[in-house]
Amino acid sequence: MNNHTAVNTFLLWGFSSFPELKNLLFVMILSSHVTILLANVSIMVAIKLSQNLHTPMYFLLFSLSFSETCITMVVIPRMLMDLLSGSKTISLPECATQMFFFCGLASNNCFIMAAMSYDRYTAIHNPLHYHTLMTRKICCQLVMASSVVGFLISLCITIMIFNLSFCDSSNIQHFFCDISPVVHLACDYTSYHEMVIFVLSAFVLVGSFILIMISYVFIVSIVVKMPSAKGRYKAFSTCSSHLTVVCIHYGFACFVYLRPKGSASFGQDMLMAVIYTVLTPLLNPIVYSLRNKEMQIALRKVLESIFKFFSQVTHRKALDI
């Protein structure tokens, strides 16, 4: 890698243009990060401990929550550290590693959402054979395939980008090593590289979105033929949480990665990236917990168990004193 570049470190410029907002941003992002971790971990614990949530739909939701948690760990701790410290430098290997894991996990999320839409289609189309068509083994294979394909695409993008020559500037106009601000610094970035990155990004975003839409076209065609209004409402309600998350996720992701790039767009990209990396992982567990009664019951039981445990510990300590 050193044979191809004259730059060994980058400077994550990030929010340096807004020094007066540094403390406010730190508090807001830190509180959001803690909330994301608590919300996603609560969902994963609720799914793990609640026997009635041991179904394919919740297994895929568990995988999505885990992936979302990992994405925030890749980006937000570094962002918080840069807001606190004066040094915002990041080495070339660290930058490449961050890009690899961020792109891999983001791609993994897209394919898991496509798997979730297939799961909803199977549940509505073949409810009697649902548990034989969506076995634990098939769910694991879908999650593994999502992860393998996502990280392979991320590896191709990362290797191609970090084999370019960086010799003009080392200032990344972003708060993490995202694709667009990094390639903007390359001396030998050509239309060929741009086309390959666009095709791979489109394969992940557009490809998975098409799979989701195909599933929902079939779902709608089945649901509208149902004679019972109650049955139609129940079928649509099982898909509403997933569809809401899909709209939020793909809306921001497509705006950042599939629109034409220009140097003037980095400010907009950074704002969208904050929403994409902070707000979206925060909204996902909220949407699933607010719109799903089974999840609400499971979360309530988990919180009651935690409260009961701490009450017992506090009572024992009081007795010892």
Side-chain angles (χ1 to χ4, degrees):
M1 192 177 295
N2 290 331
N3 294 332
H4 293 273
T5 180
V7 175
N8 294 318
T9 58
F10 291 115
L11 181 67
L12 289 171
W13 195 247
F15 302 106
S16 300
S17 302
F18 314 101
E20 68 280 1
L21 299 176
K22 183 175 68 173
N23 293 331
L24 177 62
L25 286 169
F26 178 83
V27 172
M28 290 176 62
I29 294 171
L30 177 61
S31 58
S32 298
H33 184 46
V34 172
T35 307
I36 289 167
L37 294 179
L38 289 175
N40 280 294
V41 169
S42 297
I43 281 183
M44 289 188 283
V45 170
I47 292 171
K48 188 71 176 177
L49 297 181
S50 302
Q51 195 67 33
N52 62 320
L53 298 185
H54 290 181
T55 62
M57 180 178 75
Y58 290 106
F59 176 81
L60 294 172
L61 176 58
F62 181 97
S63 303
L64 181 64
S65 296
F66 179 76
S67 185
E68 291 279 14
T69 303
C70 291
I71 273 195
T72 61
M73 295 302 295
V74 168
V75 175
I76 297 181
R78 173 77 205 199
M79 191 196 315
L80 293 172
M81 186 178 70
D82 289 343
L83 283 169
L84 278 182
S85 65
S87 175
K88 303 179 188 301
T89 58
I90 184 170
S91 68
L92 204 72
E94 287 174 332
C95 189
T97 302
Q98 188 183 54
M99 182 183 291
F100 168 72
F101 280 105
F102 176 79
C103 293
L105 290 165
S107 301
N108 180 49
N109 286 355
C110 292
F111 293 124
I112 288 178
M113 287 184 191
M116 292 173 80
S117 67
Y118 172 73
D119 169 74
R120 291 299 81 209
Y121 164 72
T122 306
I124 293 172
H125 183 252
N126 283 307
L128 297 177
H129 300 93
Y130 172 62
H131 289 287
T132 57
L133 293 172
M134 290 294 293
T135 61
R136 183 83 172 185
K137 181 180 178 181
I138 290 174
C139 289
C140 290
Q141 288 173 344
L142 287 172
V143 171
M144 285 298 296
S146 300
S147 180
V148 169
V149 174
F151 278 100
L152 277 177
I153 291 171
S154 177
L155 182 64
C156 293
I157 292 175
T158 305
I159 289 175
M160 183 175 66
I161 289 175
F162 284 90
N163 271 310
L164 297 171
S165 300
F166 301 97
C167 51
D168 289 340
S169 172
S170 61
N171 290 346
I172 297 177
Q173 301 295 322
H174 216 299
F175 56 84
F176 75 102
C177 292
D178 204 0
I179 295 171
S180 182
V182 173
V183 298
H184 182 70
L185 304 178
C187 306
D188 50 353
Y189 182 63
T190 64
S191 57
Y192 166 76
H193 299 101
E194 185 177 13
M195 182 189 69
V196 172
I197 291 173
F198 179 82
V199 168
L200 291 174
S201 301
F203 173 77
V204 173
L205 289 170
V206 180
S208 58
F209 186 73
I210 288 172
L211 292 175
I212 291 170
M213 288 301 101
I214 290 172
S215 296
Y216 274 103
V217 167
F218 284 114
I219 287 170
V220 171
S221 66
I222 294 168
V223 171
V224 294
K225 295 176 183 177
M226 290 181 176
S228 168
K230 186 178 179 180
R232 289 195 296 270
Y233 173 78
K234 185 178 179 181
F236 278 127
S237 65
T238 62
C239 304
S240 60
S241 299
H242 176 255
L243 200 55
T244 304
V245 169
V246 165
C247 292
I248 294 169
H249 178 89
Y250 281 90
F252 291 125
C254 290
F255 181 85
V256 173
Y257 294 104
L258 296 184
R259 68 187 178 93
K261 299 297 182 209
S263 58
S265 69
F266 286 134
Q268 293 177 328
D269 284 353
M270 194 165 69
L271 178 61
M272 286 295 117
V274 171
I275 298 172
Y276 185 66
T277 56
V278 178
L279 187 60
T280 304
L282 182 61
L283 287 175
N284 289 355
I286 292 173
V287 169
Y288 274 103
S289 59
L290 290 179
R291 300 181 66 89
N292 193 302
K293 289 184 179 179
E294 288 181 328
M295 181 59 68
Q296 289 175 10
I297 294 169
L299 285 171
R300 195 178 300 119
K301 288 180 179 179
V302 169
L303 292 175
E304 287 174 356
S305 299
I306 293 172
F307 180 76
K308 186 177 179 181
F309 171 76
F310 280 110
S311 296
Q312 289 175 349
V313 170
T314 305
H315 182 66
R316 288 174 184 171
K317 286 184 177 180
L319 290 176
D320 291 340
I321 293 171

